[in-house]
Amino acid sequence: MTILDRIKAHSRRLTDADQKLITTMLENRAEAAFLSGPQLSQRATVHEATATRLAQKLGYKGFPDLRAQLQREVLDDQDAANRMRRSVSKVEHGDYLTDLIAAEIAALETLARSVTQADMDAAADLIFAARRVFIFGQGHAQSVAGFLQRRLDRFGMTTIQLTGRGRDIAERMVSMDAGDLVVALAFRKQPQSYGPLMRHAARVGAQSILISDLAGPLMEPAADLMLAAPRGRSGSEFQTPTIPFAIVNAIVLTIAGRHQRQVIGRLEKLSELFNDFD
């Protein structure tokens, strides 16, 4: 049963507070899929226990199970053709640029509520402390992965790119060990190589970070740290690359800010090398 089916089946049991919470949850399903029960209740201006009580009324063990169902339903509605059709149908008078700007602003505002600076601090420190950083990205994620790799290379860090077929990735992982870090970038659905990569990292004692979107909470095994936010106003519309690029840029800036002396010194050395090679 879908969440709406459950709501219809139990409609007579639902209070006014339940209805307010449901309205808040369904008006922006993509953002709601990242909120805890108390956070969603706060958005709906109802008691913080309302989310748990509603989930139980609908037949779930608790709110995390309801949220997992919401995440699955949003992802199931992400067919590329239908997403684009819904996106362009909402634009008035063919003003696509204005609509895109509004969508990007809305997505960035949601990012600010989905990922905290404390998360960025943790990611920055893990990357800076790592002996080597293995960066995984396939499909659309490759462009973001390449951007992150180049930034970290400029900071004097040792990076290894994990792209291509499974066997290609396996060959580059042979030397992975404790003290290394995996940064995986994956959007919309779990890549085939993600599971083996994360399981191997855990076996050898390497830590892991996942940068993702709505699919992040559903990926298994879970990373040690996940930075995930919706890539659009809803999970069923155009998915912008701005959000993962913003997350990566924030990590890079946080590394520079928290480890300024070492980073600036390496960038100065890079400038000298540029002069020699020009």
Side-chain angles (χ1 to χ4, degrees):
M1 293 179 69
T2 67
I3 293 175
L4 281 176
D5 289 336
R6 290 175 183 254
I7 291 171
K8 292 175 183 176
H10 299 279
S11 59
R12 294 184 179 180
R13 299 180 57 200
L14 302 180
T15 64
D16 289 343
D18 292 332
Q19 295 288 1
K20 287 183 67 176
L21 191 71
I22 289 169
T23 299
T24 301
M25 177 175 66
L26 297 183
E27 279 182 347
N28 193 341
R29 298 188 305 158
E31 182 178 0
F34 284 92
L35 299 177
S36 66
Q39 287 172 329
L40 183 60
S41 297
Q42 185 179 28
R43 296 285 175 83
T45 63
V46 296
H47 190 276
E48 67 175 24
T50 302
T52 299
R53 290 197 292 262
L54 172 63
Q56 292 170 345
K57 288 178 185 178
L58 298 180
Y60 299 99
K61 290 182 180 180
F63 183 76
D65 289 336
L66 187 157
R67 183 176 59 186
Q69 172 85 28
L70 181 63
Q71 291 165 349
R72 287 191 292 270
E73 290 183 9
V74 172
L75 287 172
D76 288 343
D77 199 27
Q78 285 198 343
D79 173 78
N82 287 333
R83 287 202 316 269
M84 188 59 71
R85 188 179 296 113
R86 280 188 289 266
S87 298
V88 299
S89 68
K90 291 186 175 184
V91 180
E92 295 184 0
H93 312 299
D95 199 351
Y96 300 106
L97 176 60
T98 298
D99 184 77
L100 176 64
I101 292 170
E104 298 281 277
I105 292 172
L108 287 168
E109 289 174 344
T110 300
L111 169 60
R113 296 190 292 267
S114 301
V115 180
T116 67
Q117 184 57 49
D119 296 327
M120 294 295 179
D121 291 347
D125 290 348
L126 282 172
I127 291 172
F128 190 79
R131 183 169 64 100
R132 294 174 301 176
V133 182
F134 290 77
I135 303 176
F136 171 79
Q138 295 182 319
H140 291 308
Q142 278 189 252
S143 58
V144 190
F147 176 80
L148 174 61
Q149 181 178 24
R150 186 158 189 175
R151 289 292 189 179
L152 297 185
D153 286 345
R154 281 172 167 250
F155 285 177
M157 299 178 186
T158 303
T159 63
I160 298 174
Q161 188 180 60
L162 300 179
T163 58
R165 300 177 305 167
R167 287 178 174 269
D168 297 327
I169 293 172
E171 288 176 354
R172 299 186 191 106
M173 290 168 50
V174 171
S175 65
M176 185 185 294
D177 207 341
D180 292 330
L181 173 72
V182 172
V183 178
L185 299 103
F187 314 122
R188 199 173 69 79
K189 65 180 181 179
Q190 179 167 322
Q192 186 174 357
S193 297
Y194 174 86
L197 168 62
M198 289 303 196
R199 286 192 291 272
H200 180 72
R203 277 197 301 270
V204 301
Q207 293 186 288
S208 58
I209 298 172
L210 171 62
I211 299 173
S212 188
D213 53 11
L214 282 168
L218 302 177
M219 293 190 190
E220 295 180 348
D224 294 311
L225 175 64
M226 181 178 69
L227 306 176
R231 293 187 293 128
R233 286 175 296 198
S234 77
S236 60
E237 293 181 25
F238 175 73
Q239 301 293 284
T240 175
T242 299
I243 299 307
F245 271 111
I247 292 174
V248 166
N249 265 326
I251 291 173
V252 169
L253 287 172
T254 302
I255 292 173
R258 290 175 67 83
H259 305 280
Q260 186 171 356
R261 182 177 59 81
Q262 298 96 319
V263 168
I264 296 301
R266 293 170 185 175
L267 289 175
E268 288 174 344
K269 184 181 294 185
L270 177 63
S271 294
E272 294 173 2
L273 286 170
F274 281 161
N275 291 332
D276 292 338
F277 279 84
D278 280 347

